[in-house]
Amino acid sequence: MAGSSFGTLFKITTWGESHGAALGVTVDGCPAGVPLSAEDIQAFLDRRKPGQNAFTTKRNESDTVEILSGVFDGITTGTPISMLVKNEDQHSKDYGNLAETYRPGHADFCYDEKYGTRDYRGGGRSSGRETIGRVAAGAIASKVLKMLGISFTAYTKSIGELSVDYKNFDASEIMKNAFYMPDADCAAKAEKYLELIMSERDSVGSSVECIVRGLPAGIGEPVFDKLDAKLAQAIMSIGAVKAVEIGDGIDVVKKKGSENNDPFTTNGDTVTKLSNHAGGILGGISDGADLLIRASFKPTPSIYREQQTVTKSHENTMLEIKGRHDPIIGPRAVVVVESMCAVTILDLMMCGATSRVDNLKKIYG
């Protein structure tokens, strides 16, 4: 299978299946000298693991990470960092009826058409558990970026028709509710709404936002490797994402140029903007303002209602999915979006270090 690697200098390769022995990631290109422990990685993985509340799958996984290489005496050595998380609670029998039947909304049919075979247990590589490797890699990227003064605030923006009221935005609320929402009132409404959705044996869509602060101007390569282009690729590669927006996103179609442009101003030697409709990116390059990215997730396709589908032999049939599934994807994907943003930004910053001869002089001059 091609396409399991992402990045140029800070490069990650994820591996493993939902019901295999383990999943993990190899991170190649992490600079030497970064203090790193399993606890650093575990803090990120704990934010995405299942079974945390009534609104996540009951799959009971500790998602305990093992660092196999690339770290010595608590410091990265500059060699590839390999990390592993064992699967502990697979109920593969729940998927027995899917060996010959395609689940609506899933990649089952597409995998069979492409490879002629597939791991039907939990979706194999198309499962949400593939994101374990992304999050482990993102924990490392985030730690490096924190050393450079760059921070991330990621959260669930909306669940169905319910959306965060920015007048109530409180970052301290994000870790206090089951949905990672920065609005306590919206989170309380979302809880009642999801209870209704679950009683109807259904699921619902959601969106996740990530704000990146402290990113200097000048990050991103013009033309094909624009910062927003690479972020879009990174976020769209997360399963169930159907749209990515930067800044005002799709709302720009309603605006005039005089409304959408962000006026520049100066404060001494510092150039800033009076607004941030662009979301921190101009011409594919960071402009020094906060970077704002938004991802839209489709409803979880595994629902407990009977659905029409077909078999591998192209016979019409009805399917009732069994197993343990989230009624919503967004909340557990908050840390995944944050991680992919961190991996992308660090990689582009490392690539951008060669854009000026002055940078080389600082190192080798």
Side-chain angles (χ1 to χ4, degrees):
M1 174 186 286
S4 290
S5 298
F6 180 81
T8 302
L9 295 182
F10 187 88
K11 189 170 187 174
I12 71 170
T13 301
T14 69
W15 54 267
E17 291 81 34
S18 176
H19 284 234
L23 304 99
V25 63
T26 298
V27 179
D28 196 10
C30 178
V34 179
L36 187 68
S37 66
E39 289 73 23
D40 295 325
I41 312 299
Q42 198 63 54
F44 271 62
L45 289 174
D46 286 348
R47 291 165 58 193
R48 70 148 304 282
K49 73 179 181 181
Q52 298 183 63
N53 54 64
F55 306 105
T56 62
T57 170
K58 301 309 177 193
R59 182 167 174 166
N60 186 22
E61 299 279 1
S62 67
D63 283 355
T64 302
V65 68
E66 298 177 44
I67 300 177
L68 305 180
S69 64
V71 179
F72 180 71
D73 281 346
I75 302 292
T76 59
T77 62
T79 60
I81 302 171
S82 188
M83 294 174 285
L84 173 149
V85 171
K86 292 180 180 177
N87 286 321
E88 301 168 331
D89 188 32
Q90 311 99 307
H91 289 186
S92 298
K93 66 180 186 302
D94 291 340
Y95 298 90
N97 66 327
L98 301 179
E100 300 296 325
T101 310
Y102 299 132
R103 295 170 295 176
H106 279 274
D108 301 343
F109 169 73
C110 302
Y111 267 58
D112 263 355
E113 288 294 299
K114 180 175 179 64
Y115 299 107
T117 184
R118 63 185 169 91
D119 183 346
Y120 57 83
R121 305 165 304 164
R125 284 290 283 166
S126 66
S127 167
R129 280 190 69 73
E130 180 271 337
T131 62
I132 282 175
R134 298 167 183 253
V135 172
I140 297 174
S142 292
K143 184 147 194 185
V144 176
L145 292 171
K146 185 177 181 180
M147 297 169 70
L148 301 175
I150 298 169
S151 63
F152 296 80
T153 302
Y155 49 88
T156 300
K157 177 185 182 292
S158 65
I159 293 176
E161 296 294 332
L162 299 172
S163 187
V164 167
D165 184 345
Y166 290 107
K167 294 178 182 177
N168 299 331
F169 192 100
D170 182 355
S172 68
E173 284 289 337
I174 295 173
M175 300 299 291
K176 294 180 182 178
N177 59 76
F179 309 112
Y180 296 101
M181 279 185 154
D183 178 349
D185 291 341
C186 189
K189 293 176 182 176
E191 183 171 345
K192 293 181 180 179
Y193 177 59
L194 270 182
E195 287 174 351
L196 174 63
I197 293 294
M198 293 171 69
S199 71
E200 296 173 342
R201 304 172 73 193
D202 216 334
S203 63
V204 69
S206 52
S207 68
V208 171
E209 282 188 341
C210 183
I211 302 173
V212 186
R213 296 184 173 91
L215 186 64
I219 306 304
E221 303 298 325
V223 192
F224 296 115
D225 287 344
K226 290 180 170 70
L227 175 56
D228 42 2
K230 297 299 286 187
L231 283 170
Q233 179 189 354
I235 302 304
M236 282 297 293
S237 73
I238 301 170
V241 173
K242 303 305 290 185
V244 176
E245 300 174 78
I246 305 290
D248 285 359
I250 61 173
D251 286 342
V252 297
V253 302
K254 307 172 186 175
K255 296 183 177 180
K256 301 173 183 176
S258 56
E259 298 171 321
N260 187 67
N261 288 344
D262 299 311
F264 286 108
T265 187
T266 60
N267 181 11
D269 293 331
T270 304
V271 175
T272 60
K273 300 188 305 182
L274 297 179
S275 58
N276 192 24
H277 300 295
I281 303 174
L282 292 169
I285 302 171
S286 61
D287 61 23
D290 289 349
L291 191 156
L292 175 63
I293 187 167
R294 186 179 310 107
S296 297
F297 289 83
K298 70 178 184 180
T300 314
S302 291
I303 58 177
Y304 297 107
R305 291 185 177 189
E306 191 175 55
Q307 300 176 81
Q308 181 177 327
T309 187
V310 298
T311 65
K312 288 181 68 173
S313 56
H314 295 183
E315 297 176 346
N316 290 316
T317 187
M318 300 300 292
L319 174 66
E320 187 172 332
I321 294 175
K322 300 178 181 179
R324 301 159 295 174
H325 310 286
D326 297 278
I328 187 172
I329 296 172
R332 285 183 63 204
V334 166
V335 69
V336 185
V337 171
E338 178 181 334
S339 295
M340 291 307 293
C341 286
V343 167
T344 304
I345 289 169
L346 178 57
D347 185 45
L348 284 173
M349 290 185 76
M350 291 173 66
C351 292
T354 62
S355 61
R356 292 190 182 189
V357 69
D358 289 349
N359 295 339
L360 297 177
K361 286 180 178 179
K362 290 176 182 178
I363 300 173
Y364 299 111

